[in-house]
Amino acid sequence: MAIRLNTLEKYAKEVFARPAIQTYLLNNTERFDYQTVKDWYPRLHQSDSCGVETAGQIWLSPKGDTPDLEMSSWILVDANQAKRVVRHEIAHIVQFVCDLQGSWHGRGFGEALRIVSPMLHKYGKRSDRGWHTTPEIEKARRKFHQLTTIDESGTLSSNDKIVEGGEPY
């Protein structure tokens, strides 16, 4: 079932306002004071596609501006997966604000994801560590990435050729 961007933005606001997240931010913010970030739920924007395998991406500012979450239009055809992407990207906000160490999907991200998604932070089919494809998503993705395929194990691969500048053609 599809979801509208404004509905997804309301969901992002609800997730960010959860007591567990707010308490963690209150006690662990490093880059900014808590009053600056307590209402930092991301503003959502829709683009055709953030990339072949990128359902959403967060844009964070070291100046303390409200984060922007860019969503690929093709993920919005599945409300559950779109919400999964929102939770994943909110974990990146927590990771950034609290200056949690490690790579963007490493130890610090894992710690942040446990706060944002306590039941769905582990690896697996229901994990918020990434989105999971569905037939509806694949149909929508192919509008922008015609050469993308999925093998028997469900692994995505792209035959899009990358040229200088990193843009597929």
Side-chain angles (χ1 to χ4, degrees):
M1 185 171 157
I3 190 167
R4 293 178 183 264
L5 197 66
N6 61 345
T7 304
L8 198 57
E9 189 163 33
K10 288 176 190 170
Y11 175 74
K13 188 173 186 176
E14 291 168 9
V15 170
F16 200 76
R18 288 178 181 167
I21 295 171
Q22 292 298 311
T23 301
Y24 189 84
L25 291 174
L26 177 65
N27 295 318
N28 295 286
T29 52
E30 293 285 330
R31 295 180 189 264
F32 312 101
D33 66 70
Y34 174 71
Q35 294 303 316
T36 301
V37 300
K38 68 183 177 89
D39 297 319
W40 247 28
Y41 69 90
R43 296 177 298 219
L44 271 65
H45 307 276
Q46 180 178 335
S47 62
D48 289 342
S49 183
C50 300
V52 174
E53 296 182 22
T54 307
Q57 55 191 356
I58 199 75
W59 296 94
L60 299 161
S61 167
K63 293 186 268 178
D65 299 331
T66 302
D68 291 299
L69 173 50
E70 179 184 5
M71 299 289 293
S72 291
S73 61
W74 46 262
I75 198 71
L76 300 178
V77 301
D78 187 305
N80 291 330
Q81 295 305 315
K83 287 179 179 180
R84 176 172 283 156
V85 171
V86 166
R87 293 188 302 268
H88 177 103
E89 298 305 330
I90 287 176
H92 282 302
I93 295 171
V94 172
Q95 178 185 13
F96 174 74
V97 169
C98 297
D99 201 21
L100 300 176
Q101 299 302 304
S103 66
W104 279 110
H105 289 108
R107 187 181 73 233
F109 175 75
E111 183 178 337
L113 193 59
R114 276 190 292 281
I115 303 304
V116 175
S117 296
M119 303 299 288
L120 301 171
H121 72 276
K122 296 181 179 179
Y123 290 97
K125 193 170 191 171
R126 294 177 25 119
S127 172
D128 280 351
R129 286 194 168 266
W131 60 276
H132 305 280
T133 195
T134 65
E136 294 80 18
I137 290 173
E138 281 311 301
K139 184 178 176 183
R141 276 177 76 236
R142 287 208 172 107
K143 292 177 185 172
F144 304 102
H145 305 288
Q146 294 86 8
L147 301 177
T148 302
T149 59
I150 298 179
D151 66 19
E152 304 80 44
S153 70
T155 303
L156 296 169
S157 66
S158 173
N159 295 322
D160 290 347
K161 292 184 171 69
I162 304 298
V163 297
E164 191 174 328
E167 296 298 322
Y169 71 94

